[in-house]
Amino acid sequence: MKASALAAVDTLIARYPALEPCGGDIRAAIEALTLCYRAGGKLIVCGNGGSASDAEHIVGELMKGFLLPRHLDEHILSKLHAACDATDPRTVDYFMQNLQGALPAISLPSQLAISTAFSNDQAPDLTFAQQVLGLGKPEDVLLGITTSGNSKNVLYAFRMAQALGLTTIALTGASGGKCVSGGYADITIKAPEEETYKIQEYHLPIYHTLCIAVEEEFFGA
C-alpha cells in the first residue's frame, strides 16, 4: 500500500487523539478494503437508524470523487469511444468532463423494495442477511455499523458474510458487544465511547478516513 494512504490514519489520530487505540484496526480495515478493490470486489454496508444514514454517507464518498479528482482511465475511455463514436461522439466528451472513477459500494438499508418485501413476508431480522446472500462474493467486504455491537440484523448479516467468504468489518462502540465476544467480525473498530450519540460522533471521522485512504490508494498521485 501507499504510505500516503495509511498516513490518513495518522492525520485522524492527530485530530482525535482518543482514537489512537483504534489505529491498528483502522489500518487493518484500510488494507482489507484495498485488497477487496484490487480483486474487483465491492463494499457492502449496513446499519440501523443513524448507522443506516452513515451507510448511505459512506457509499456517497466512495462512488464518486471525495477529496481527489478521479479521471476515467484509458480502459473505460476506449470502451466509451467504441460505444459512442459512430453515432454520438459528443457523448464521450461529456462523460469525460463529468464522470468520475468509482469505488463500488452498496448500502443495504437503501434497498427499500427487497427490505420491505422480505421483512413483511419472511423475517425482518434476516433482511440484511438475505441481501448479503444475494449480493455477496468472496472478494467483497461487509461493513456493519452497530453502536452497541449487538444489532441482531447486522450480526446475522455478518454470519451470512462469513459463510460466503467475505471479509467482515464492524464499526462499534467501546465494548464491541457481540461483534467481539461472538466472533462476528474479522476486524472491529471500537469507537471509545459508550453513549450512542458520542459513538456516532467518532464513527464519522473514522469512516471518512477509510474513504480518504482507499481513494488515495487508487486515485492518488
Side-chain angles (χ1 to χ4, degrees):
M1 285 193 62
K2 294 177 183 175
S4 56
L6 290 175
V9 183
D10 298 326
T11 301
L12 171 71
I13 292 170
R15 294 177 62 211
Y16 300 92
L19 293 178
E20 185 170 6
C22 305
D25 293 315
I26 296 171
R27 291 182 182 91
I30 292 167
E31 291 171 359
L33 288 169
T34 299
L35 290 173
C36 160
Y37 285 128
R38 289 205 186 284
K42 61 186 175 294
L43 175 64
I44 301 171
V45 196
C46 64
N48 301 290
S51 297
S53 297
D54 288 331
E56 291 282 351
H57 190 161
I58 291 167
V59 170
E61 307 296 21
L62 292 173
M63 288 285 287
K64 57 175 286 298
F66 183 21
L67 299 185
L68 300 177
R70 300 188 189 179
H71 302 297
L72 300 186
D73 62 32
E74 293 300 321
H75 178 67
I76 293 296
L77 291 177
S78 65
K79 288 182 175 293
L80 286 170
H81 281 295
C84 301
D85 279 358
T87 57
D88 192 13
R90 289 178 297 179
T91 295
V92 176
D93 289 336
Y94 185 55
F95 281 179
M96 289 175 62
Q97 291 167 11
N98 292 285
L99 292 182
Q100 302 169 325
L103 293 164
I106 297 173
S107 167
L108 299 186
S110 68
Q111 310 299 306
L112 292 179
I114 177 60
S115 64
T116 54
F118 191 85
S119 294
N120 185 63
D121 298 342
Q122 300 298 132
D125 58 1
L126 290 178
T127 298
F128 290 155
Q130 177 67 34
Q131 292 169 281
V132 172
L133 175 61
L135 294 168
K137 304 295 181 186
E139 61 269 22
D140 297 340
V141 168
L142 174 65
L143 171 59
I145 308 172
T146 164
T147 56
S148 66
N150 299 320
S151 301
K152 188 175 290 187
N153 56 355
V154 175
L155 297 179
Y156 283 142
F158 279 141
R159 284 294 188 238
M160 178 53 68
Q162 290 172 330
L164 297 177
L166 282 71
T167 298
T168 53
I169 301 172
L171 187 53
T172 72
S175 73
K178 292 180 180 178
C179 286
V180 173
S181 64
Y184 285 89
D186 298 311
I187 301 163
T188 302
I189 303 171
K190 297 179 287 184
E193 282 290 351
E194 300 288 349
E195 292 183 80
T196 297
Y197 81 96
K198 293 180 180 178
I199 296 168
Q200 291 171 329
E201 287 173 353
Y202 277 132
H203 280 183
L204 187 148
I206 290 170
Y207 66 67
H208 266 174
T209 297
L210 299 180
C211 295
I212 289 166
V214 292
E215 182 179 64
E216 173 64 24
E217 179 70 17
F218 289 97
F219 297 99

